[in-house]
Amino acid sequence: MSGLDTAKIEAVLELFKAAGHTHVSPPILQPADVFLDLTGEDIRRRLFLTSGTDGADLCLRPDFTIPVCRHHLAAAGAKLPAAYCYSGPVFRQRPDGLGEIPQLGAESLGRADTAEADADLLALSVKALEVFGLNDCLIRIGDETIFAAILEGLDLPTVWRRRLRDLFGETDRLNAAIGRMAGGASSDDDSRDVRLGFLSALEGADPEAAHAVVEDLLSIAGISAVGGRTPSEIADRFLEQAALASGARGHDKAAETLSAYLSLKADGAAAPKALRDFSTEFGLGLDTPLAAFEQRLAALDARGIDPSRLSFTAEFGRRLDYYSGFVFEIHAAGTQVEGPLVGGGRYDKLVTLLGARDDVPAIGFSMWQDRIAASVDA
């Protein structure tokens, strides 16, 4: 298990409850298709999969955010705003060690005061670490809404905007894609394998005909789904890749703008000016996301977290697909512990994707108990 003092774990849970979070324990067995559809490749390939007697595909809970949101939607008479906290294991395949990882965390659903909610959750995670004796940790922040606004302001085909946003948070792959936009080669370009030949054949094809070709090929191979994607979705993906392959040249200005943005780094106090200078230099209208960014910093400052303590990194995004805006990580200072102690952020579309009738703004965080224990002992 985590090696943490159980009394301190209970103290953290009491801290969460005092902040208005109801303790919940979502089932360990979860429907696999939900995670296959809504999480990134990083978690998809690490699921512990099984099946029920009825043939339904199941998985061991790989995170708490989706199960907590499902719990909220299934609860009779559940109202918004709502706040939950939890403590228990998540299960992810990993190359060394057991795949059972103890976590603590908190989720906040339905608050319309976005900046205040962001500040409350980040401040709550900082207080929780202090209960374990970890002070002056390193706090890293990012904001996908700024990146999305930049993409909207660039003269790029829709398929490229979608592709680049999907890659946000995976820096190496994102930079490689931007390089291709500017006319550079990628490993895929160099290989010139059969797959690229197939994409070339699809380029410019009638979408319905291309769908039929891909679905027929999958049917011949006896494949009904891949990674939770239907044949139709796989066909869409092939068509998108064909468009990307054919449109990977001639976007030098967009590539320059994106590369300049992704290189930005500053402490929280200096970040607003750096972002506004960037916006002015490249002629982008970023007033709305930058105003929200500054409002969040002010809310954090009001909760005792000096913006100069924060580290803003433009390229930073979390690798789970459902994150959609402000994100943060907290790392131990001066230790060799790999990975964040806390990871969290905003996921405003997730609850709707899970079945809510209306949009539900939401933010939450998870604490990795094994890393916290290692940092305490270091």
Side-chain angles (χ1 to χ4, degrees):
M1 295 301 290
S2 69
L4 288 173
D5 184 339
T6 55
K8 289 186 176 179
I9 293 174
E10 289 300 319
V12 168
L13 287 173
E14 290 303 317
L15 176 69
F16 293 164
K17 293 174 186 177
H21 297 258
T22 301
H23 185 264
V24 294
S25 298
I28 287 177
L29 277 177
Q30 294 283 324
D33 61 336
V34 173
F35 290 91
L36 292 170
D37 290 343
L38 298 178
T39 62
E41 295 295 338
D42 183 54
I43 286 214
R44 286 192 194 108
R45 65 174 179 264
R46 296 167 65 191
L47 294 178
F48 284 92
L49 294 167
T50 185
S51 59
T53 56
D54 60 355
D57 292 327
L58 303 171
C59 66
L60 298 183
R61 179 179 65 205
D63 84 345
F64 269 100
T65 301
I66 288 176
V68 167
C69 292
R70 294 184 68 244
H71 169 89
H72 171 79
L73 291 170
K79 298 180 179 179
L80 294 172
Y84 303 98
C85 62
Y86 55 81
S87 175
V90 297
F91 303 87
R92 301 183 189 180
Q93 305 267 10
R94 50 186 183 178
D96 54 353
L98 296 175
E100 180 177 348
I101 308 161
Q103 288 191 344
L104 287 158
E107 313 290 340
S108 176
L109 313 180
R111 285 183 58 174
D113 54 341
T114 301
E116 302 295 318
D118 291 352
D120 282 341
L121 269 291
L122 177 50
L124 185 62
S125 68
V126 170
K127 290 179 181 177
L129 288 175
E130 290 172 351
V131 172
F132 292 117
L134 295 172
N135 302 290
D136 301 320
C137 291
L138 307 176
I139 305 173
R140 185 187 189 198
I141 63 171
D143 195 334
E144 186 175 339
T145 57
I146 299 175
F147 183 72
I150 293 170
L151 287 178
E152 288 303 309
L154 298 177
D155 182 20
L156 284 173
T158 300
V159 66
W160 267 103
R161 290 178 187 165
R162 183 167 61 247
R163 179 60 173 161
L164 294 172
R165 185 159 186 181
D166 286 347
L167 291 175
F168 184 70
E170 299 184 58
T171 301
D172 291 343
R173 295 179 66 196
L174 179 58
N175 286 336
I178 292 171
R180 287 185 62 222
M181 280 193 346
S186 70
S187 58
D188 283 342
D189 290 322
D190 294 335
S191 65
R192 298 294 178 183
D193 57 13
V194 174
R195 182 176 64 86
L196 287 181
F198 180 56
L199 295 181
S200 297
L202 285 179
E203 180 187 345
D206 174 74
E208 290 187 7
H211 266 261
V213 168
V214 174
E215 293 184 26
D216 285 347
L217 288 174
L218 292 171
S219 176
I220 292 169
I223 299 171
S224 60
V226 177
R229 296 185 177 93
T230 66
S232 178
E233 290 169 332
I234 296 168
D236 282 336
R237 180 63 177 146
F238 271 121
L239 289 171
E240 178 179 293
Q241 288 184 335
L244 291 172
S246 66
R249 302 291 185 268
H251 301 298
D252 302 60
K253 180 61 177 178
E256 178 190 355
T257 301
L258 290 170
S259 295
Y261 172 70
L262 294 170
S263 69
L264 291 177
K265 295 181 181 180
D267 68 53
K273 183 179 186 304
L275 288 166
R276 291 196 179 279
D277 288 347
F278 162 81
S279 179
T280 299
E281 179 181 352
F282 288 91
L284 297 167
L286 302 179
D287 288 349
T288 298
L290 293 187
F293 185 88
E294 292 175 319
Q295 188 178 2
R296 183 186 304 117
L297 290 176
L300 285 165
D301 196 19
R303 286 155 180 77
I305 298 179
D306 188 334
S308 63
R309 179 184 174 186
L310 307 173
S311 174
F312 170 73
T313 308
E315 68 182 15
F316 170 46
R318 297 193 58 74
R319 295 176 67 182
L320 292 171
D321 287 354
Y322 53 71
Y323 283 107
S324 59
F326 170 61
V327 291
F328 63 91
E329 287 183 346
I330 305 180
H331 294 255
T335 74
Q336 299 302 311
V337 175
E338 292 188 11
L341 309 182
V342 177
R346 182 158 287 280
Y347 48 94
D348 292 337
K349 297 178 181 179
L350 177 60
V351 187
T352 304
L353 292 172
L354 289 170
R357 294 181 179 178
D358 302 309
D359 290 341
V360 178
I363 183 172
F365 65 84
S366 294
M367 308 180 70
W368 298 75
Q369 293 184 42
D370 53 347
R371 295 172 184 166
I372 293 171
S375 298
V376 170
D377 294 338

